[in-house]
Amino acid sequence: AASVKDTRVSFDAGVGGDGFAVQVAAVKSAPTAGTATVQGLVLTNPVGFRQSQAFAVDKLTVDFDWNALLAGNLMLKTVTVDGVRVNVENTKDALNFNQILSHVNALMANLPASPKSAKPQSAPPITVLAAAVKDVQINVDGGTGGSFAVQVAAVTSAPSRGTATVRSITVTNP
């Protein structure tokens, strides 16, 4: 088993220190069992937004199939996401996610180019047999345009069987 705790990576695309950060409280893996867990994943908002977080996940757990991985395929037996919070904010200047994407694009533009002789690597196929997302909170703050919140208790899916279930959706206007 391997683990990493309390990690923070800050991203500033050279626009005055108003970038964003990705934080992870813990990463745990049990390779022999074929599981990996990320706890406390947070994408912070850039400077100037009311909420400190743009996106957060309390816990993400993946159960994968080693045999498929060794054969060159990424087969995820289950993906479970618990405690998702999304804060969409619009200020007079920008939408928070647009500003984050601008920072990402600026960072990507500054990466060194790969050698022209390098062949692009193709990603292995990914198969998800079952997925569940629990306790989702989406807050939309439109500034002067109004606000609302959406809560979803759970979404479960079994793509291989063609099924999906959504439980308890609530929309409020705070």
Side-chain angles (χ1 to χ4, degrees):
S3 65
V4 175
K5 290 187 176 185
D6 299 325
T7 302
R8 177 185 172 100
V9 179
S10 296
F11 299 93
D12 180 7
V15 283
D18 62 349
F20 64 96
V22 176
Q23 302 167 337
V24 176
V27 177
K28 298 175 185 173
S29 68
T32 56
T35 62
T37 301
V38 176
Q39 292 179 302
L41 174 64
V42 173
L43 173 65
T44 66
N45 260 328
V47 171
F49 292 93
R50 284 184 287 285
Q51 299 292 325
S52 62
Q53 300 175 346
F55 177 80
V57 172
D58 292 339
K59 186 175 180 182
L60 167 68
T61 303
V62 176
D63 182 16
F64 57 92
D65 183 332
W66 267 112
N67 291 330
L69 187 59
L70 293 173
N73 300 309
L74 183 54
M75 181 179 293
L76 306 178
K77 295 177 186 175
T78 59
V79 175
T80 305
V81 184
D82 195 2
V84 178
R85 288 171 309 289
V86 180
N87 293 310
V88 180
E89 281 190 66
N90 190 21
T91 67
K92 62 181 178 177
D93 298 324
L95 188 68
N96 61 335
F97 283 96
N98 285 348
Q99 199 166 20
I100 291 168
L101 287 174
S102 292
H103 285 286
V104 170
N105 288 335
L107 288 166
M108 297 300 286
N110 291 325
L111 291 177
S114 60
K116 291 182 181 182
S117 62
K119 290 183 180 179
Q121 299 275 338
S122 62
I126 299 173
T127 304
V128 178
L129 299 180
V133 180
K134 299 181 250 179
D135 187 24
V136 177
Q137 173 79 33
I138 302 169
N139 299 304
V140 179
D141 181 351
T144 58
S147 302
F148 66 93
V150 178
Q151 293 177 299
V152 180
V155 177
T156 56
S157 163
S160 61
R161 294 192 300 267
T163 62
T165 305
V166 178
R167 194 181 78 218
S168 180
I169 298 176
T170 305
V171 179
T172 57
N173 187 357

